[in-house]
Amino acid sequence: RHYCELTAHYWAWKNLHDADYIGLNHYRRYFDFEGGSVCSLRTVRSEAFFSASHPVPDFDRLFSRCDIVMARPKKYPAYLPDFDRVFFRNNRLSHFNMFVLPRERFEAYSAWLFDILFEVERRIEIQDDPVQGRVMGYLSERLLSVWVRHNRLKICYKTVLMVNDQKRKGLGKHLFHTTVNTLAYWIT
């Protein structure tokens, strides 16, 4: 329960040895390999999503242009002081622990990530709380960007499709909030 979607990540690292590419989507979030949206997150009704076909992308072609596929970053100016320490004055973060990597890079990232997370687990007391208990999942969301930056990977950002039947804000609100968040970041 503390590792969230990282349970599947760890299993894939230790068990999927014949795959050329390994990635992580999870339960209601999927990469939009077909769309051209500039939003970091786009909501699609479950009926529309599951009734449509979703062909497997040409990963060989995709990875000729980039080294990793990640979710488009989301911006949260209220967290800038914390993100500043980790990302050296950058206000962008790819959430959800979603990525696709070639096998060799997946191996390197997994070894690095779980070495850190297992050490953190030995040093902290994990709260018995449904949100705070997910500390390893939250921490790994930040560590992915650190690893990508350190290894100088070229990123191919993709929009995340959130399968959800609840109404979400539209493109206009997204662009407004993105502009306000960017201005607030640069002003502060």
Side-chain angles (χ1 to χ4, degrees):
R1 72 177 191 212
H2 301 300
Y3 281 80
C4 314
E5 61 276 356
L6 296 175
T7 304
H9 177 146
Y10 186 86
W11 183 91
W13 175 39
K14 294 298 185 178
N15 293 284
L16 295 179
H17 302 292
D18 61 345
D20 292 329
Y21 300 100
I22 299 200
L24 192 63
N25 286 305
H26 52 93
Y27 74 103
R28 61 179 181 184
R29 297 182 188 118
Y30 303 89
F31 284 116
D32 183 5
F33 286 103
E34 301 166 67
S37 176
V38 297
C39 297
S40 58
L41 187 66
R42 186 170 62 87
T43 302
V44 60
R45 294 244 180 240
S46 56
E47 182 181 322
F49 180 80
F50 291 114
S51 65
S53 66
H54 302 283
V56 175
D58 182 348
F59 284 120
D60 291 333
R61 185 169 156 253
L62 181 64
F63 283 109
S64 71
R65 300 185 323 236
C66 62
D67 298 313
I68 184 172
V69 173
M70 293 172 59
R72 289 191 189 283
K74 298 171 75 173
K75 300 175 184 181
Y76 294 94
Y79 292 89
L80 283 177
D82 302 306
F83 287 122
D84 251 3
R85 289 187 173 98
V86 176
F87 297 108
F88 303 104
R89 306 192 60 82
N90 183 2
N91 71 335
R92 296 168 50 113
L93 181 67
S94 291
H95 288 267
F96 314 127
N97 280 318
M98 292 176 63
F99 61 88
V100 181
L101 280 167
R103 159 55 74 183
E104 185 176 300
R105 284 198 169 101
F106 177 77
E107 289 281 341
Y109 171 61
S110 299
W112 179 83
L113 175 67
F114 286 102
D115 184 48
I116 292 169
L117 294 179
F118 293 159
E119 183 63 28
V120 168
E121 187 176 37
R122 283 190 288 275
R123 293 176 180 230
I124 68 170
E125 182 179 331
I126 298 176
Q127 296 180 10
D128 190 24
D129 175 273
V131 175
Q132 297 304 319
R134 301 178 69 197
V135 63
M136 298 306 178
Y138 294 140
L139 178 58
S140 65
E141 284 182 311
R142 285 126 184 98
L143 290 175
L144 174 59
S145 292
V146 171
W147 184 82
V148 167
R149 176 177 287 210
H150 179 80
N151 288 282
R152 295 178 172 83
L153 301 185
K154 293 179 287 185
I155 300 169
C156 179
Y157 288 116
K158 294 294 178 186
T159 296
V160 173
L161 295 176
M162 174 72 112
V163 179
N164 189 339
D165 292 330
Q166 295 176 352
K167 185 175 166 86
R168 306 275 296 195
K169 61 185 174 185
L171 178 60
K173 282 187 179 180
H174 168 76
L175 293 175
F176 172 77
H177 289 288
T178 298
T179 302
V180 169
N181 289 345
T182 301
L183 287 172
Y185 168 75
W186 288 109
I187 290 170
T188 59

